[in-house]
Amino acid sequence: MNTNLLVICLFVFGLSNAQPYFPMLEEDHTWSVDVYFNPLDDPPPFTQTFQVTVSGSVVVDGKTYKKVFSGDIETDCLIREEDGLVYQLDLINATEVIKYDFTLEVGDFFIFENGLMYCSYNWFNNTDVPPLEVVAVDTQFIAGQDRKVIIFEFISTNNPTYFPEIWVEGIGSLRGFDPLGETVDVADGTSLVCFDIAGTNYFFNNATSCDNTTLGIDDLSQDQIVLYPNPVTSTSILQFSSDGIVDMLKIYDVSGKLVKEEKVNKDYVLIDAMQYPSGLYFYQVYSENKLLKTEKFIIK
């Protein structure tokens, strides 16, 4: 057979047998991400689960980006996907940076951009992360498909300790919707616990539930404690049950720092956006030192 013809035949054969790329940013995908908080003050550690979805789009400089939602709250994160790369729009610098690169192979390095928005938590990463080197690439049957798996290792002369980061094609990091570089300064870490495709749940990191949120004891009281509107753009009302059982309110920022503590003697508290920097917060309400509810809210 002619050599050129052989090369062409082998090339075509390779294309026909190449594994298709599975996109990450599909609107029937939901990521359930556990964030572990250890408050700097008295309350015990708690877990908050974020359900992350992408929906709708916006065009910026001729490029179409997906919007990211945490629960029913639209975050400020805009991302898009092309040829195995996931891009995020840096709103502060009006530039586009790579959030994921699923084309990487063994020996390649990935550098995280400092200052990007956490898409899951609507907060900025202000931590420098050393470059990550790909130490292994594999194909594994995960969430109903054969997917490329990329395993990294920290490369740092100051901290040579092994610290794995694992990406799965079409899903993202096993730490959650945001990879290591964008979660390293969030309290005690994050993990992907559930990935949902069109209503089918796939569990990760030994999870057995898509929502591991640690809340209070009285479900009825929890349902009657509501903050609206959320996000807080001017003044919102944190409404309690009318039986007067709530006697203490505490508010924490995303690092676990207590930023407000207030005794409660009525059935509501006003949350004034002017009193807080923009970002993600958690409120906790108590009755006679018993935690009733932990919930997130956003100050715009």
Side-chain angles (χ1 to χ4, degrees):
M1 179 182 292
N2 182 281
T3 302
N4 291 334
L5 181 59
L6 175 61
V7 171
I8 293 173
C9 289
L10 290 175
F11 177 72
V12 172
F13 178 80
L15 286 180
S16 64
N17 287 273
Q19 177 180 318
Y21 172 73
F22 296 105
M24 178 176 168
L25 306 181
E26 298 288 346
E27 296 199 7
D28 62 351
H29 291 176
T30 301
W31 295 259
S32 296
V33 184
D34 276 1
V35 183
Y36 310 107
F37 291 93
N38 189 6
L40 304 178
D41 299 277
D42 293 335
F46 64 94
T47 299
Q48 182 74 34
T49 303
F50 296 79
Q51 269 80 37
V52 182
T53 56
V54 293
S55 180
S57 61
V58 60
V59 177
V60 180
D61 293 333
K63 297 176 181 177
T64 301
Y65 294 87
K66 292 277 190 179
K67 300 177 181 179
V68 180
F69 290 78
S70 179
D72 58 358
I73 298 173
E74 181 179 342
T75 71
D76 293 327
C77 187
L78 298 176
I79 54 180
R80 71 180 185 90
E81 189 170 19
E82 183 179 356
D83 297 330
L85 301 178
V86 176
Y87 299 90
Q88 180 172 343
L89 185 62
D90 182 344
L91 297 175
I92 293 180
N93 299 308
T95 57
E96 188 177 66
V97 299
I98 298 176
K99 186 181 186 71
Y100 283 103
D101 182 353
F102 291 104
T103 71
L104 295 174
E105 299 296 340
V106 173
D108 291 340
F109 287 83
F110 186 83
I111 299 176
F112 288 101
E113 295 288 341
N114 185 32
L116 278 182
M117 172 73 72
Y118 305 144
C119 291
S120 307
Y121 328 113
N122 212 41
W123 195 260
F124 284 98
N125 167 42
N126 296 311
T127 304
D128 289 317
V129 180
L132 297 185
E133 182 182 14
V134 179
V135 295
V137 174
D138 194 9
T139 298
Q140 298 182 25
F141 189 76
I142 298 174
Q145 302 288 350
D146 287 323
R147 300 174 185 269
K148 183 177 182 179
V149 177
I150 303 174
I151 303 175
F152 298 88
E153 181 178 3
F154 259 134
I155 301 299
S156 172
T157 56
N158 297 324
N159 182 13
T161 304
Y162 179 78
F163 201 126
E165 165 78 1
I166 300 175
W167 295 355
V168 179
E169 177 191 8
I171 297 176
S173 173
L174 293 190
R175 296 178 183 273
F177 186 85
D178 299 291
L180 170 67
E182 296 171 81
T183 59
V184 70
D185 61 350
V186 175
D188 285 341
T190 66
S191 67
L192 177 68
V193 293
C194 179
F195 180 65
D196 182 290
I197 304 177
T200 300
N201 295 329
Y202 299 92
F203 297 108
F204 293 84
N205 294 306
N206 299 315
T208 57
S209 170
C210 290
D211 191 346
N212 297 316
T213 296
T214 305
L215 294 175
I217 300 171
D218 188 334
D219 291 337
L220 178 60
S221 296
Q222 291 176 22
D223 293 340
Q224 294 176 340
I225 299 170
V226 180
L227 175 66
Y228 60 92
N230 184 8
V232 182
T233 56
S234 56
T235 301
S236 293
I237 298 175
L238 179 55
Q239 184 71 55
F240 309 130
S241 56
S242 58
D243 53 14
I245 64 170
V246 174
D247 57 20
M248 178 65 70
L249 166 68
K250 295 183 180 182
I251 295 177
Y252 298 87
D253 65 17
V254 73
S255 71
K257 179 182 178 183
L258 180 66
V259 296
K260 184 180 182 64
E261 182 173 353
E262 178 180 343
K263 290 184 177 180
V264 177
N265 55 17
K266 51 189 176 183
D267 61 1
Y268 70 93
V269 169
L270 297 179
I271 305 295
D272 184 359
M274 296 295 292
Q275 296 181 1
Y276 306 89
S278 298
L280 175 68
Y281 294 84
F282 294 88
Y283 68 78
Q284 292 186 330
V285 293
Y286 293 81
S287 176
E288 298 180 347
N289 294 320
K290 182 178 73 174
L291 177 62
L292 296 179
K293 185 172 186 177
T294 298
E295 189 58 84
K296 68 179 182 291
F297 67 97
I298 292 175
I299 300 290
K300 284 286 193 178

